[in-house]
Amino acid sequence: MNTNRRSFIKSLGGLGILAGTGLTTFAQPAPPKPVSESSWNLTMSLYSFRNLDFEKAVEWTSGLGIKFCESFAWQKISANDDEKVDAWKSTNAKKRIKSVLDNCGVKMVQCYIGSFAKDKDGNRPIFEWAKELGVETFVSEPPFESLDMLESLCDEYSVNIALHNHRKGTSIYWSPEIVLEQIKSRSKRLGACPDTGHWARTGLDLAESLKVLQGRIFCLHVKDIVEPGNPATKELPWGDGKTDLVSIFREIARQKTAMNFGIEYENFGSDTRPDIKRSIAYFNDVALKIKG
């Protein structure tokens, strides 16, 4: 009878040792934790500054008083050349990225990656890059069929993957139930990075959607939008739109979990800092009081 590692371990009933054989099962990796185990953190999605290079975007992040960021793979590192964040094998690129982060006092806890390689060896440089730079989590939307391979790499390198969603019709992970179905029997290093703005655009209830993924939410992209249920609606600073942001913070507080709350703007102008400052103020004045 053919059996794979996952089904073999399940057949042991969680006992850890196969009775009468002396065979010990592999331990499940501990669930990943945000950079601070006991706090809520703001994380700047550098995609909000996508018209800038990585160096300038991190400088702006630091200037806003935010200490954690989520990079994106195709951003140029500097305006001076074309080398990008996703130069996974480049020792020079990694040194430049680390220097920018250290100089600005910002930690790159996450990286959005558009696509992984099709084979395990092709992905090793990506995971080695993450380990070297201290990146905890890749945020991505990989095809279902690649999850077995990626799961094994997550466990091997102790790096997480958070499945991300865009709105219905543009993302295979548009609903929390779909995400849960893909991760529920997998390593705890596979989880979710819900985008609450895209959930709202799709017309989903935000608190109920977060409940579906309880225990597997690694980070969030939080947006406030003009008109929930409208796929084309625009974004506003936190607290200025009609998204039920309070329900998000209350639900995460109920789940009693640390969380990286990502600020990400997709449709604003060349300088989003004034809007981001208003979102920071909302977080400090509303969200942290809900946390208590």
Side-chain angles (χ1 to χ4, degrees):
M1 179 178 68
N2 292 327
T3 182
N4 58 30
R5 174 177 175 270
R6 186 181 297 111
S7 61
F8 170 71
I9 291 173
K10 285 182 178 178
S11 72
L12 304 181
L15 295 176
I17 298 177
L18 187 60
T21 68
L23 294 176
T24 303
T25 66
F26 293 97
Q28 180 72 268
K33 299 175 182 178
V35 66
S36 173
E37 296 183 13
S38 62
S39 68
W40 288 3
N41 300 302
L42 280 178
T43 302
M44 176 55 62
S45 171
L46 299 188
Y47 192 72
S48 302
F49 305 142
R50 58 195 174 277
N51 295 322
L52 305 177
D53 55 81
F54 176 83
E55 182 177 298
K56 193 67 176 178
V58 174
E59 288 178 5
W60 279 20
T61 298
S62 178
L64 289 164
I66 297 178
K67 300 301 182 183
F68 310 109
C69 76
E70 176 184 303
S71 60
F72 62 98
W74 57 97
Q75 188 174 31
K76 290 175 59 175
I77 298 174
S78 169
N80 297 326
D81 57 61
D82 291 330
E83 195 166 41
K84 297 179 181 179
V85 169
D86 65 359
W88 312 119
K89 297 181 180 181
S90 170
T91 300
N92 179 61
K94 285 181 280 192
K95 286 182 178 178
R96 293 170 64 195
I97 290 170
K98 189 176 187 305
S99 177
V100 170
L101 294 167
D102 289 347
N103 289 340
C104 292
V106 174
K107 180 175 174 59
M108 183 170 60
V109 292
Q110 296 150 206
C111 178
Y112 185 94
I113 178 170
S115 60
F116 288 94
K118 293 183 179 181
D119 62 281
K120 183 177 287 189
D121 286 343
N123 282 308
R124 290 192 184 281
I126 302 175
F127 281 80
E128 290 165 1
W129 175 93
K131 290 291 287 186
E132 187 171 340
L133 292 173
V135 173
E136 300 169 359
T137 302
F138 284 117
V139 178
S140 190
E141 301 170 59
F144 298 155
E145 59 268 22
S146 70
L147 292 178
D148 283 345
M149 170 189 64
L150 294 173
E151 177 185 27
S152 66
L153 288 166
C154 287
D155 287 347
E156 179 181 346
Y157 287 92
S158 298
V159 173
N160 317 312
I161 291 179
L163 301 180
H164 188 58
N165 63 283
H166 287 81
R167 62 178 172 81
K168 185 178 182 180
T170 65
S171 173
I172 61 173
Y173 296 110
W174 67 270
S175 82
E177 289 80 9
I178 293 172
V179 174
L180 182 63
E181 182 62 28
Q182 295 302 317
I183 65 176
K184 64 184 181 182
S185 62
R186 295 185 182 277
S187 166
K188 296 297 184 181
R189 292 202 172 277
L190 266 70
C193 175
D195 188 305
T196 63
H198 292 310
W199 273 354
R201 287 183 171 113
T202 300
L204 300 180
D205 182 286
L206 303 183
E208 292 302 316
S209 295
L210 291 171
K211 288 177 183 177
V212 171
L213 294 168
Q214 180 168 343
R216 303 301 288 262
I217 304 170
F218 297 171
C219 47
L220 288 164
H221 287 184
V222 179
K223 296 182 175 72
D224 203 351
I225 61 176
V226 175
E227 185 182 358
N230 179 353
T233 193
K234 299 296 184 181
E235 296 159 21
L236 294 169
W238 292 5
D240 287 2
K242 294 184 179 179
T243 308
D244 188 1
L245 296 185
V246 169
S247 72
I248 297 171
F249 297 116
R250 282 180 175 164
E251 177 54 28
I252 296 300
R254 186 197 67 79
Q255 294 184 19
K256 300 184 185 301
T257 182
M259 188 56 58
N260 292 337
F261 294 93
I263 298 179
E264 182 185 57
Y265 288 107
E266 297 181 352
N267 59 6
F268 282 166
S270 58
D271 189 350
T272 55
R273 285 177 293 179
D275 299 298
I276 290 171
K277 288 177 181 178
R278 295 179 65 171
S279 296
I280 294 170
Y282 181 91
F283 180 80
N284 292 333
D285 295 342
V286 177
L288 294 182
K289 290 178 182 178
I290 291 172
K291 176 179 181 290

